[in-house]
Each structure stands twice: as structure tokens, then as C-alpha cells.
């Protein structure tokens, strides 16, 4: 198991590690660490440089260790990485690109988890503007946090651009169906399977839920947790990049795929949160969602925190850190 006392060279020396990290971390983040400190402990190098946006590398170092340890678990068989197309074990090809459209997979919980007691499950969908899937801050850390608190946690890599609506949504519903079908294998309570979505994946989870209500009620999630989500595709409040990546710029889909118009009676209980200082996806998206859920009488808890910005994941550095324990309370109470 890696820690921040290991170096980048230690981590990358592991067979196939770099190929896995293209999907679970990012080459761009690796490049932010000073090359002359590649052989030094990450605990040192993370304080010797800063990101282009002015932060130190502490979070990136912790995320790198999390991602590398996830790879170790996959390689040792403690977890599985399953192809969404065949449900066989998926492995990255040597030198493969993270934009490979066939690289869609579901990472399972740890195999040694207790199976005798039925527990709730979450399927985590990291964001990325429907152009990428950001495992390093919205996938692996969230998976570990909720696993450590009694949940069976899965993480999904769904199709992104050039794939269009509704292909990402169908990936998520297929994954949900597989998890529900294999609930016994992971000791899961089939009545307590939730979807987690961040940023554009908040839109993914909510729109997939609406699609399930229309076409596949057998895979309707039992609850949603949405972090700084894209909800509306209306021009004045949306993240335009997410709209264009999902729809190809098809204006006929702008209103049709705005979640505030998709919420109807029977929509699952929803916990959603955003940050006032988010300059990528306006927090008004959560306010629109809250109004729509209120109008339908759907159980919900929607919060706006002062600080956290966008893409903050577990947000331990900001006032939004409170979202995860509050989401736990919300799910457990339902």
C-alpha cells in the first residue's frame, strides 16, 4: 500500500500503473509535480510547487496515493473492474488513451467486505462536463469515504463525447441493473441503491432517473445525491460545455433535457448541494432543482454552501465539507 512517503517514481514503477492512472488519475495532474522531486517522498514534493490556480499539491498528492492504491486493489483481485459491454474483467491496454470510447467500466466494492448483513449501495458517477470522467477527486475518494461508513460503493466510467444523449444515461441504467441483479454477491439491500453524481454527472444521474421512470421503472434508483450539479440547460444558468458535449449543440434538446422539467411525481428522494463561489456551474441550478422537487412533493434536502468552488469533491478544505455527513444522514433516514 502506498503512502505520501512514497515517491512518484515508486508509484510508476508498479507494472501497468501508468496505464491505469490515465483513467483513474490524469497525466496533466502528474505533470504538476516537479520533475526534479520525482524520486522524493510525495509528502515533500507536494509542498514544493503550486498548481496554476495557486493551491499547493497536497490534495493532488493524496488523490494520487488513493488512485495508486485502487490500482493495487484491482491488480490483487480485492476489487474488480468490469466492462459495461461484456461484464468481463476490463484492463487498460498498454499505452491506451484515456479518451478511448470503449473504456467504459464499473469498479466494484472490496471483495473482503462483509456480505452477511444487507447494506445500502451507491453508484458514484464522477463529473467531467460529459467530456471526461474525473475519478481522482470525485470517484476514488468518495468511494472510500462511503465504504468506510457501511456502504457498498461502485464507481462508473460512462461514455462521454463524442457519444451523445442518451448513451451516457443508458450506461448508468445498465450499471444500475447489474448492481441490483448482483446484490446478493455484495450483500446489498436492493431497496437502498443510490446514485451519486457530481457536476455534469449530476445531470447524468437526474436525467437517467427521469429516463428510467419513462422506460425502465425496474431500475429506478432509491435516492440521488448530487454535488454542484448541472441541472438546467437554460442559457443563463447552465454549463454550456456540458450541454454541447451531451447534445452536440442540438437546441431542440435544451429545454427537453433540463432536469427542472423532468421532475415528476415519484421522483426519488434527492440530496443536492452547491457552492456560492462556484464560477463554473451556478448554484442556481440546485435552487431550480429544489423548486421542482418541492412542486412535486418529492423528499429532498438541497443546500448551498458559502465556499468550495467547483470540482471540490469531498471539500475538506471548505465549508462544503459538511455535505458528506449530511448526505449520510439523509440516506440513512430514508
Amino acid at each position: 500500500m502506498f503512502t505520501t512517503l512514497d515517491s512518484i517514481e515508486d508509484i510508476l514503477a508498479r507494472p501497468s500503473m501508468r496505464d491505469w492512472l490515465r483513467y483513474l488519475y490524469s497525466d496533466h495532474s502528474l505533470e504538476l509535480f516537479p520533475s526534479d522531486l520525482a524520486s522524493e517522498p510525495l509528502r515533500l514534493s507536494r509542498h514544493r510547487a503550486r498548481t496554476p490556480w495557486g493551491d499547493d499539491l497536497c490534495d493532488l498528492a493524496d488523490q494520487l496515493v488513493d488512485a495508486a492504491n485502487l490500482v493495487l486493489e484491482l491488480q490483487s483481485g480485492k476489487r474488480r473492474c468490469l466492462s459495461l459491454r461484456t461484464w468481463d474483467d476490463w484492463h487498460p491496454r498498454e499505452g491506451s488513451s484515456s479518451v478511448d470510447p470503449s473504456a467504459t467500466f464499473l469498479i466494484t466494492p472490496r471483495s473482503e467486505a462483509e456480505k452477511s448483513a444487507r447494506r445500502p449501495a451507491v453508484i458514484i458517477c464522477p463529473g467531467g462536463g460529459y467530456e471526461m470522467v474525473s475519478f481522482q477527486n470525485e470517484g476514488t475518494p468518495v468511494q472510500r469515504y462511503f465504504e468506510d461508513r457501511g456502504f457498498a460503493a461502485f464507481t462508473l466510467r460512462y461514455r462521454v463525447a463524442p457519444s451523445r444523449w442518451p448513451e451516457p444515461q443508458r450506461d448508468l441504467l445498465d450499471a444500475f441493473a447489474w448492481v441490483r441483479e448482483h446484490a446478493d454477491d455484495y450483500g446489498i439491500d436492493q431497496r437502498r441503491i443510490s446514485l451519486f453524481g457530481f457536476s455534469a454527472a449530476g445531470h447524468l444521474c437526474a436525467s437517467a432517473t427521469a429516463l428510467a421512470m419513462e422506460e425502465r421503472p425496474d431500475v429506478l434508483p432509491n435516492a440521488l445525491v448530487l454535488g454542484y450539479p448541472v441541472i438546467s440547460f437554460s442559457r443563463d444558468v447552465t454549463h454550456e460545455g456540458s450541454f454541447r458535449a451531451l447534445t452536440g449543440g442540438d437546441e431542440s434538446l435544451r429545454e427537453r433535457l433540463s432536469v427542472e422539467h423532468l421532475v415528476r411525481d415519484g421522483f426519488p428522494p434527492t440530496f443536492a448541494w452547491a457552492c456560492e463561489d462556484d464560477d463554473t456551474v451556478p448554484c442556481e441550478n440546485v435552487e431550480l432543482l429544489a423548486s421542482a422537487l418541492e412542486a412535486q412533493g418529492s423528499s429532498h434536502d438541497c443546500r448551498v454552501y458559502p465556499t468550495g468552488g467547483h470540482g471540490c469533491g469531498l471539500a475538506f478544505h471548505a465549508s462544503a465539507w459538511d455535505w458528506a455527513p449530511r448526505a449520510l444522514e439523509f440516506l440513512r433516514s430514508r
Side-chain angles (χ1 to χ4, degrees), residues 9-78:
E9 287 184 354
D10 294 330
I11 290 172
L12 295 183
R14 179 80 184 190
S16 301
M17 180 62 73
R18 185 177 284 276
D19 293 322
W20 276 108
L21 290 181
R22 288 194 178 98
Y23 298 93
L24 305 181
Y25 196 63
S26 77
D27 287 340
H28 173 69
S29 294
L30 279 175
E31 291 167 359
L32 293 176
F33 290 91
S35 58
D36 61 333
L37 294 174
S39 62
E40 301 295 337
L42 278 166
R43 195 171 295 180
L44 169 66
S45 62
R46 66 183 187 172
H47 293 294
R48 297 290 295 273
R50 305 194 77 79
T51 66
W53 50 94
D55 293 340
D56 62 34
L57 301 185
C58 290
D59 285 346
L60 291 181
D62 290 339
Q63 291 164 7
L64 176 56
V65 168
D66 284 343
N69 285 328
L70 179 59
V71 174
L72 295 183
E73 291 177 346
L74 292 168
Q75 292 178 332
S76 68
K78 290 183 178 180

Side-chain angles (χ1 to χ4, degrees), residues 152-216:
F154 300 79
T155 310
L156 178 68
R157 191 176 198 273
Y158 49 90
R159 280 176 286 183
V160 295
S163 296
R164 306 296 188 199
W165 158 266
E167 291 174 339
Q169 285 71 18
R170 296 203 186 284
D171 283 349
L172 176 52
L173 295 182
D174 287 346
F176 189 96
W178 188 91
V179 170
R180 181 164 278 173
E181 180 182 349
H182 292 82
D184 288 347
D185 297 338
Y186 295 96
I188 291 170
D189 184 344
Q190 294 187 12
R191 302 163 301 174
R192 300 168 68 197
I193 306 176
S194 306
L195 301 182
F196 279 32
F198 296 86
S199 191
H203 181 273
L204 168 65
C205 291
S207 57
T209 296
L211 188 63
M213 294 179 78
E214 291 182 4
E215 299 182 2
R216 300 179 64 179

